[in-house]
Amino acid sequence: LANNGGHTACVALLEEAMNKAHEEACASATESTPVVEEALRFYASSGDEARLTALLERGIVTIDSQDAEGRTAVWLAAEKGVVEVMRVLHQHGANMDTAGVNAGDADWTMVGDYEGEPVWHNKATGEYLFSKHGDTDPRIMSPVEIASKNGHDQVVSFVEEVKSKAHEEACASATESTPAVEEALRFYASSGDEARL
């Protein structure tokens, strides 16, 4: 709220307090705990590459841990457009695809259910969304989707490059169709990469 309101001094004080609390919690930690995982996500979302790297190098944090909305450190860094943090997380083995809920998307609200399945309404467009299987929440986005929505083209390019390399490696040694090869084909088709198809 303070960040959106342009209250930079207030944001700086809050971030300083959060950094101190996280440093104290992580200093004595010997394994991944909810507080250590929260620190990881906070450092990622705030772009604190130095603290993030130090925490990851200690090897005590579950890198793909999720908050209550399913957001990982990668997702939060993508949301903020912090491509250097994304690189650090990738180098330490983070999953670049884990989807999370864009809790800030106030346009979509669940307005009820039909035969036990959720019905969503978009206030901005007037559109309704009904999921037969109850698993479609329009606020759920991948790191690439949230980065794209927020105009972070460098993050989108980085993640697509990472995925492309992983798909090339999976296909290079394949002698038959595997789930990894099929995923590569879907990726190449969706990105319009006819040469690799």
Side-chain angles (χ1 to χ4, degrees):
L1 188 59
N3 199 22
N4 291 339
H7 305 288
T8 55
C10 186
V11 170
L13 285 172
L14 291 170
E15 284 184 351
E16 183 180 325
M18 292 294 289
N19 278 330
K20 185 175 182 184
H22 288 129
E23 284 177 355
E24 289 173 2
C26 292
S28 61
T30 58
E31 62 184 18
S32 197
T33 66
V35 174
V36 171
E37 292 168 358
E38 179 184 317
L40 170 79
R41 291 187 297 271
F42 178 77
Y43 297 151
S45 68
S46 64
D48 194 336
E49 190 178 341
R51 285 186 175 100
L52 176 76
T53 301
L55 180 59
L56 290 170
E57 287 178 354
R58 287 188 55 206
I60 62 164
V61 67
T62 303
I63 197 164
D64 291 323
S65 65
Q66 299 174 326
D67 67 9
E69 284 84 30
R71 299 172 304 181
T72 63
V74 165
W75 195 97
L76 293 165
E79 177 187 36
K80 300 289 182 162
V82 194
V83 73
E84 290 308 317
V85 166
M86 299 280 293
R87 289 184 205 287
V88 169
L89 290 165
H90 173 64
Q91 290 167 354
H92 284 86
N95 182 336
M96 295 284 125
D97 271 338
T98 304
V101 173
N102 180 13
D105 190 347
D107 288 340
W108 286 102
T109 40
M110 193 168 82
V111 293
D113 66 79
Y114 176 73
E115 295 181 1
E117 305 297 338
V119 177
W120 295 88
H121 179 251
N122 187 308
K123 291 179 241 175
T125 65
E127 174 185 10
Y128 284 89
L129 177 68
F130 169 72
S131 170
K132 278 183 121 173
H133 304 292
D135 58 358
T136 301
D137 180 338
R139 301 168 302 157
I140 295 175
M141 299 179 161
S142 71
V144 166
E145 290 168 329
I146 191 66
S148 180
K149 178 180 181 180
N150 291 341
H152 303 307
D153 297 335
Q154 285 185 315
V155 169
V156 173
S157 295
F158 172 71
V159 174
E160 287 179 350
E161 177 185 318
V162 166
K163 290 168 96 177
S164 184
K165 285 181 183 177
H167 294 314
E168 285 177 18
E169 291 171 7
C171 293
S173 60
T175 57
E176 60 185 41
S177 182
T178 65
V181 170
E182 291 170 13
E183 170 61 28
L185 290 173
R186 284 190 295 276
F187 175 76
Y188 295 143
S190 69
S191 63
D193 192 340
E194 292 181 25
R196 288 193 175 101
L197 266 174

